[in-house]
Amino acid sequence: MTTEIEDSAVDPSRTPDGFFEPPAVGTADRTRELELRYRGIIDRLPAVLYVDDVDQNQPMIDVSPSVHDLLGIPREEFLSRPFAWTDTIHRDDLAAVMAENERCAVTGDPFRMEFRVVHPDGKILWVRDDAVLIHDESGAPLHWLGLMLDVTELIEAQAELHQAKTKYGALVEQIPAIVYVDAADDEMSTTYVSPQIQAILGYTAQEYIDDPQLWERMLHPDDRENAVATYLRGRESGGPFVFEYRLIAQDGRTVWFRDSAIVLTDEQGRPEHIQGVMLDITERKMAEERIAFLAYHDKLTGLPNRTMFHELLGLALARAKRHELGVVVVTVDLDDFKLVNDSLGHEAGDAILMQLAQRLSDATRETDLVARPGGDEFLLLLADLDRASSGHGGHESVSVSAESVALRIQEALRTPFTVGDTELYVTASLGISAFPDDADDAPTLLKNAETAMFRSKRSGPGGYVLHAKDDADSIVRLSLSTRLRRAVEQEQWMLHYQPLIDLHTAEMNGVEALIRWPEPNGGLVPPGDFIPLAEEMGLIEAIGTWVIDEVCRQGRMWREQGLDLDISFNLSPRQLWQNDIVDLIVDPILGSGMDPSRVTVEITESTAMTNPDRTLGILHELHARGLHLAIDDFGTGYSSLARLRYMPVDILKIDRSFVRELDRDEQNASMVSAMIALASNLGMTPLAEGIETEAEWHALTERGCELGQGYFFSRPVPAAEILAIHRRAGLHIVEGGAAG
């Protein structure tokens, strides 16, 4: 910086031991030499050095020739014109420059300013002007000694940098995430963190920067070791890396983050900085945890559901076979519980179910399992029972344990249930089946317990029955098996079709084909009665082949009538594992002239996860052949979300158990919202099953569910009624057919 000279004017004869040596008297040649040397230096400076009169009306005293390069005015002209300097100043800056010049002239302060000048060719330049007043021995100002530099490139670079910072800052500080820049040092210090950190974690950006160990201290204890190791490993690798972890916020909340970072290296390729974005994924994680929990638990009582019960029953039987232990399954079904719901409402019924869940847990051992598969039914698993102390394979000892539990349950039900101000008594019928005497596998054990429970109900409410091998239901089962085999041989089937509704327009855009088995008396055998039996007897493949052929035939008939609909049908687990299943499905569709993209194949969630690797291959092959795919009954099985995201699924069907009373059940509503969001994030279309009320329909629409089906819109109907439904709705019918 230039400093003000207050003592005296520059006089070569008074400059001691400097560039100018004191000339001896009469040494004119020496003085001339010094002047030439001085002028040579001035003329070669990459700046404009000037001496200006303190009187603004006078021209400059001297200026270096470089003024021509800077301002475009020859030196001689610049020195001859009193206002040559001010004439070059940009008009928008002139007033400020003159005001500062006058102030410095009065106060004696150095003149330092950056301003614009206009070159004769119209080009605008930025100059920095630094000048100081030179005084005589009495302190009177003599002239200005100044230096002008071209700082155009510097100013423009600063402006570009400021603009870039402004844009980057606006972007970074408005996204809903924490952006950070770390130095690649031993302390993992942070050089920048966006202000969103305060809203998300409660710490200010400065607090985070000042404490290099804060991130590590905030890490959840279960995540700390792995998160730090991943960070250091990613930093050393030099490549981008992504990891997830939990941080404990200042107020104690646990916040999940997905951290995506890149490593910036120096010229030698060594890590220099780490730039990253920490996205708050807490809501997504909570939704995933809720879905995973409900995959194994009943949403009302929090008890294990049927899926978990089946898995633990399988493990218990495996242990029992290895160690010669006993296992008991108890089915508990409330008597006439529908009367409670009808008279007091579903809320009261739910309250009783929750109280019953607690009483059942209290009546069993800590090692026993109490589960609720749904409705008013509960299942008990008594595992690891000692059967070595009595004869007949230990059956008596196991039965005593089972009956003891049954008696404790009956005792627990003697106390009335309280719902609000109402007290009421509830009874339950129990069915008991034991391994190894009654069954050797889980499905049979469960079926026997259920059969015994129905026998108990027929005997009167509130009792229990142990399974007997000569049960009359075995005769019924044998009769059904014989009739089923004959039905397969004679193809005694029919398809009903349930409309699939666009929930936003209430228009039908497709149908689901559902198999029905007509009885001679005009009734229909419930699918739940014969489909499991057909699976067990190995008849389901033949039934499935008939369904595919019938779907193709009906689709062709509708097209001939001018109606082109999307059609979906269900694929059973055994069908899915057929070696040639893709050709068995696609060939009839192509042969009938149907567009494969108008056909949707549905598999249940549990089927999809039974053998996920094999399932994934089959689904990709079906999808590649043009078919659409749907996951049915979503939420009732245990889906691996990591696998689900890679499945080529188009439609996610939300199970009816979650849709029931959606408008009044906050837990159901929360789960359905999470499932709809999950489907959306995975690029799938959500479809709600079992819509029975207008309120449920509107609740689904408000949450963004696109498709639905249920009795509120239509029960499954014969094929002949589908065209009539379209015509009644006034929908468009494709060319060649009728128009509604």
Side-chain angles (χ1 to χ4, degrees):
M1 299 294 290
T2 308
T3 56
E4 181 180 351
I5 302 174
E6 298 181 351
D7 296 330
S8 63
V10 175
D11 184 350
S13 65
R14 297 181 58 198
T15 306
D17 303 324
F19 181 78
F20 301 105
E21 296 178 2
V25 177
T27 58
D29 292 340
R30 179 62 174 163
T31 301
R32 177 63 179 165
E33 179 185 350
L34 291 174
E35 289 176 352
L36 290 174
R37 189 182 300 176
Y38 161 76
R39 175 55 59 186
I41 293 174
I42 296 301
D43 292 350
R44 288 172 176 78
L45 280 175
V48 176
L49 185 66
Y50 65 87
V51 180
D52 193 10
D53 198 294
V54 293
D55 184 353
Q56 294 184 7
N57 296 317
Q58 297 299 319
M60 278 196 175
I61 299 171
D62 196 5
V63 66
S64 60
S66 54
V67 70
H68 183 265
D69 297 329
L70 179 62
L71 301 180
I73 303 174
R75 177 173 178 270
E76 294 73 16
E77 180 183 342
F78 203 79
L79 293 175
S80 64
R81 290 169 45 198
F83 299 101
W85 172 61
T86 56
D87 289 346
T88 64
I89 300 174
H90 193 287
R91 63 181 183 180
D92 292 342
D93 297 347
L94 180 60
V97 172
M98 297 307 296
E100 179 65 8
N101 181 265
E102 291 173 3
R103 186 190 69 79
C104 293
V106 173
T107 63
D109 293 338
F111 176 84
R112 294 188 180 94
M113 201 168 184
E114 291 176 351
F115 52 88
R116 290 167 291 177
V117 296
V118 182
H119 203 273
D121 63 6
K123 181 171 60 177
I124 297 176
L125 303 174
W126 277 92
V127 299
R128 177 181 173 85
D129 193 341
D130 288 86
V132 293
L133 272 174
I134 305 300
H135 300 81
D136 61 15
E137 294 180 354
S138 65
L142 289 176
H143 50 256
W144 290 96
L145 178 61
L147 185 71
M148 284 193 292
L149 291 171
D150 183 351
V151 293
T152 304
E153 292 185 1
L154 176 62
I155 294 295
E156 289 177 348
Q158 289 175 341
E160 290 176 1
L161 179 61
H162 176 73
Q163 185 179 21
K165 285 183 176 180
T166 301
K167 289 181 178 178
Y168 178 74
L171 172 65
V172 164
E173 295 177 6
Q174 290 181 21
I175 62 174
I178 299 172
V179 179
Y180 65 88
V181 180
D182 288 351
D185 53 23
D186 294 338
E187 292 79 19
M188 296 191 295
S189 57
T190 300
T191 59
Y192 171 80
V193 66
S194 59
Q196 293 93 317
I197 189 172
Q198 186 166 6
I200 298 175
L201 291 171
Y203 294 95
T204 66
Q206 195 59 49
E207 286 175 325
Y208 191 83
I209 292 172
D210 291 344
D211 187 352
Q213 304 304 315
L214 183 55
W215 176 75
E216 188 172 347
R217 288 202 310 275
M218 282 194 294
L219 281 167
H220 191 284
D222 295 342
D223 299 346
R224 183 173 295 126
E225 182 178 353
N226 184 60
V228 173
T230 302
Y231 177 90
L232 294 175
R233 188 167 55 248
R235 187 178 75 179
E236 293 306 314
S237 72
F241 58 97
V242 179
F243 58 131
E244 295 182 357
Y245 52 81
R246 289 164 290 180
L247 294 180
I248 307 301
Q250 192 176 48
D251 60 4
R253 290 177 298 109
T254 298
V255 185
W256 270 99
F257 286 98
R258 178 179 175 84
D259 196 332
S260 303
I262 58 172
V263 180
L264 305 180
T265 57
D266 59 18
E267 295 178 354
Q268 287 74 41
R270 294 173 302 202
E272 189 172 36
H273 290 94
I274 297 89
Q275 289 185 353
V277 178
M278 296 163 54
L279 182 64
D280 182 352
I281 59 170
T282 306
E283 289 188 6
R284 191 197 82 189
K285 284 289 186 180
M286 291 176 64
E288 289 177 358
E289 289 173 2
R290 287 196 297 270
I291 291 174
F293 178 83
L294 288 177
Y296 269 120
H297 293 82
D298 169 51
K299 60 182 179 296
L300 175 65
T301 63
L303 292 175
N305 63 9
R306 188 183 298 275
T307 301
M308 179 180 280
F309 187 88
H310 282 189
E311 291 190 10
L312 294 180
L313 174 57
L315 293 173
L317 288 173
R319 288 197 309 274
K321 292 173 182 178
R322 286 196 305 270
H323 304 294
E324 296 186 350
L325 298 171
V327 176
V328 168
V329 170
V330 181
T331 297
V332 180
D333 193 271
L334 295 179
D335 299 318
D336 298 322
F337 191 68
K338 187 176 183 297
L339 296 176
V340 176
N341 284 328
D342 291 345
S343 57
L344 299 179
H346 288 289
E347 290 185 4
D350 289 347
I352 291 174
L353 291 173
M354 288 188 286
Q355 293 180 46
L356 177 59
Q358 185 59 53
R359 294 192 190 185
L360 292 176
S361 298
D362 294 341
T364 55
R365 303 173 301 170
E366 290 185 3
T367 55
D368 296 335
L369 177 70
V370 179
R372 179 179 179 243
D376 56 2
E377 180 187 0
F378 291 82
L379 290 171
L380 276 60
L381 172 60
L382 285 57
D384 304 320
L385 300 174
D386 184 10
R387 60 185 174 96
S389 59
S390 58
H392 307 290
H395 179 70
E396 183 179 345
S397 175
V398 173
S399 298
V400 168
S401 298
E403 290 191 76
S404 174
V405 170
L407 291 171
R408 289 201 298 273
I409 292 172
Q410 288 181 326
E411 183 64 29
L413 295 179
R414 297 188 197 283
T415 305
F417 290 82
T418 302
V419 179
D421 297 330
T422 304
E423 282 191 352
L424 66 156
Y425 290 87
V426 174
T427 61
S429 296
L430 281 62
I432 302 170
S433 179
F435 167 86
D437 279 50
D438 297 335
D440 194 48
D441 59 84
T444 309
L445 200 61
L446 282 163
K447 186 178 185 310
N448 289 344
E450 186 173 11
T451 300
M453 181 269 294
F454 283 121
R455 286 185 60 199
S456 174
K457 279 188 177 293
R458 288 196 294 270
S459 300
Y464 68 88
V465 168
L466 276 70
H467 172 72
K469 287 191 175 181
D470 59 349
D471 200 315
D473 287 281
S474 299
I475 300 175
V476 175
R477 175 186 172 88
L478 178 61
S479 173
L480 184 62
S481 300
T482 304
R483 291 168 52 211
L484 181 60
R485 193 174 299 277
R486 185 182 305 115
V488 170
E489 292 172 356
Q490 299 178 2
E491 296 185 341
Q492 299 173 356
W493 315 111
M494 64 186 301
L495 289 183
H496 281 189
Y497 298 86
Q498 185 169 39
L500 305 179
I501 306 298
D502 182 326
L503 296 183
H504 297 289
T505 64
E507 295 177 351
M508 174 168 56
N509 67 357
V511 293
E512 180 182 1
L514 300 167
I515 192 166
R516 296 293 184 260
W517 181 10
E519 290 186 300
N521 62 8
L524 296 173
V525 180
D529 285 357
F530 70 89
I531 292 295
L533 184 58
E535 289 260 329
E536 185 177 332
M537 295 174 64
L539 302 175
I540 196 67
E541 292 91 341
I543 297 174
T545 299
W546 180 88
V547 168
I548 295 170
D549 291 338
E550 179 61 14
V551 164
C552 294
R553 187 196 66 79
Q554 185 59 56
R556 183 173 59 249
M557 182 178 294
W558 276 333
R559 289 197 307 278
E560 291 171 358
Q561 295 172 326
L563 177 59
D564 198 6
L565 278 177
D566 291 347
I567 305 178
S568 66
F569 64 88
N570 295 276
L571 203 64
S572 73
R574 289 190 59 150
Q575 283 180 278
L576 187 64
W577 306 138
Q578 288 179 267
N579 293 329
D580 53 351
I581 184 59
V582 176
D583 290 334
L584 288 175
I585 294 174
V586 176
D587 289 348
I589 291 173
L590 295 177
S592 70
M594 289 185 71
D595 181 355
S597 68
R598 305 303 299 272
V599 179
T600 299
V601 178
E602 298 185 15
I603 62 171
T604 63
E605 181 186 19
S606 56
T607 299
M609 293 302 152
T610 299
N611 188 339
D613 291 330
R614 183 177 177 186
T615 300
L616 187 61
I618 295 172
L619 295 184
H620 273 293
E621 193 172 350
L622 288 169
H623 206 264
R625 301 287 291 274
L627 294 166
H628 284 180
L629 301 170
I631 293 293
D632 197 13
D633 300 334
F634 183 73
T636 61
Y638 180 61
S639 289
S640 167
L641 298 180
R643 291 187 182 274
L644 186 61
R645 63 183 295 194
Y646 294 113
M647 288 186 175
V649 174
D650 304 288
I651 298 174
L652 201 66
K653 300 188 73 172
I654 301 170
D655 186 69
R656 68 190 65 202
S657 62
F658 298 98
V659 175
R660 185 174 76 90
E661 298 185 353
L662 170 69
D663 54 307
R664 293 185 290 161
D665 188 329
E666 292 183 3
Q667 192 173 30
N668 269 10
S670 175
M671 281 307 309
V672 168
S673 295
M675 292 179 188
I676 292 171
L678 176 65
S680 246
N681 291 336
L682 294 178
M684 304 174 189
T685 300
L687 186 155
E689 300 179 290
I691 303 173
E692 295 186 359
T693 67
E694 184 175 1
E696 291 171 355
W697 168 31
H698 291 312
L700 287 163
T701 305
E702 290 169 1
R703 286 164 175 78
C705 189
E706 298 178 36
L707 301 176
Q709 64 187 110
Y711 285 5
F712 175 75
F713 299 106
S714 173
R715 292 175 175 270
V717 296
E721 292 190 32
I722 293 298
L723 184 59
I725 291 174
H726 263 264
R727 287 172 173 164
R728 286 198 302 272
L731 298 178
H732 175 70
I733 305 299
V734 299
E735 188 174 354

